[in-house]
Amino acid sequence: MVQACRKPYKGLQFSREIWVSSRNPMIIPLIVACSFFMENLDGTIIVTALPKMAATFGVHAIDLSIGVTAYMITLATLIPASGWAADRWGTRKVYFLAIIGFTLASVLCGLSNNLWQFTGARILQGAAAAMMSPVGRLLVFRTADKKDLLRAVSTITWPGLVAPIIGPPLGGFITDYANWRWIFYVNIPIGILGVALVLTFIPKITESHRRPFDLPGFFY
């Protein structure tokens, strides 16, 4: 059984009531893999649904490309801030809030009735995604034993690579047999399950020495 460290280890402080058994070293990587899959899936799943979404919003399908672009730009812009946020407020807390934020933003995407509501919801979704997977990877690196690290990294990587491939056909299937709004609503049960798993299995990890945010470096 992995036990909580009573002394800071490399600047980190661990406080945990329930630690993952050494017999199940892949639990945390699997949790992170699910969130990574969800994040990358939402980058492409709307592509085949754009014509029907455009009909609902009363715009041209090409106009909805802003929804894809807004998500990806927000995600790429805020990723550099994720490590600082994890050190400042705690890795588990940031990851937990990111999953909640991503799930709520997905609901807002599904409830959108015009292009600008949808774009705003996609920006919120991208901001949550920027905190979710990078901080999830930090959790894996900070909790995995050295002997399990390679397998853990593989576990969180492959779902993220597969998601963009299956996103368009899955989006088309959902749109044809249900409603385009369900391509976002499917994140609700995944998000609820993710929150429950985080609270159960992921330890609290905080940085003992908080660093100031590198604002010039962020904009550079």
Side-chain angles (χ1 to χ4, degrees):
M1 177 72 71
V2 182
Q3 296 180 348
C5 300
R6 294 187 179 183
K7 295 181 180 180
Y9 175 68
K10 293 184 179 180
L12 298 175
Q13 291 179 337
F14 292 72
S15 174
R16 183 60 175 146
E17 299 80 18
I18 304 174
W19 270 91
V20 180
S21 170
S22 60
R23 292 174 297 179
N24 299 291
M26 290 297 105
I27 289 181
I28 291 179
L30 284 171
I31 295 171
V32 175
C34 290
S35 64
F36 198 25
F37 177 83
M38 184 168 62
E39 171 189 320
N40 283 272
L41 184 69
D42 272 52
T44 60
I45 195 172
I46 73 168
V47 173
T48 48
L50 292 180
K52 291 191 176 181
M53 293 173 65
T56 301
F57 296 156
V59 298
H60 295 292
I62 191 65
D63 295 333
L64 276 168
S65 62
I66 191 174
V68 179
T69 304
Y71 177 82
M72 299 305 294
I73 290 178
T74 306
L75 173 63
T77 301
L78 295 181
I79 280 179
S82 61
W84 173 83
D87 290 340
R88 176 64 177 80
W89 290 293
T91 314
R92 187 177 75 154
K93 181 184 293 185
V94 172
Y95 187 59
F96 170 80
L97 292 175
I99 293 176
I100 292 178
F102 190 89
T103 305
L104 291 177
S106 297
V107 174
L108 292 177
C109 286
L111 294 175
S112 299
N113 292 313
N114 60 59
L115 178 61
W116 300 114
Q117 289 179 3
F118 177 71
T119 302
R122 287 290 279 179
I123 291 174
L124 293 175
Q125 198 177 36
M131 297 291 123
M132 190 163 58
S133 286
V135 174
R137 283 191 287 267
L138 278 177
L139 280 168
V140 171
F141 289 133
R142 290 176 175 180
T143 58
D145 292 334
K146 289 184 178 180
K147 63 183 178 63
D148 298 318
L149 190 56
L150 182 59
R151 186 155 62 112
V153 171
S154 298
T155 300
I156 66 176
T157 299
W158 282 108
L161 297 177
V162 172
I165 299 174
I166 69 173
L170 179 61
F173 178 83
I174 293 174
T175 303
D176 287 339
Y177 292 97
N179 185 289
W180 67 263
R181 299 181 189 275
W182 281 99
I183 66 178
F184 299 104
Y185 293 155
V186 294
N187 289 331
I188 298 174
I190 301 175
I192 293 173
L193 178 61
V195 167
L197 292 174
V198 168
L199 294 176
T200 303
F201 293 109
I202 293 183
K204 296 177 183 178
I205 306 174
T206 57
E207 178 68 51
S208 59
H209 300 290
R210 294 177 178 176
R211 300 174 180 86
F213 184 67
D214 183 9
L215 192 60
F218 176 76
F219 284 105
Y220 181 79

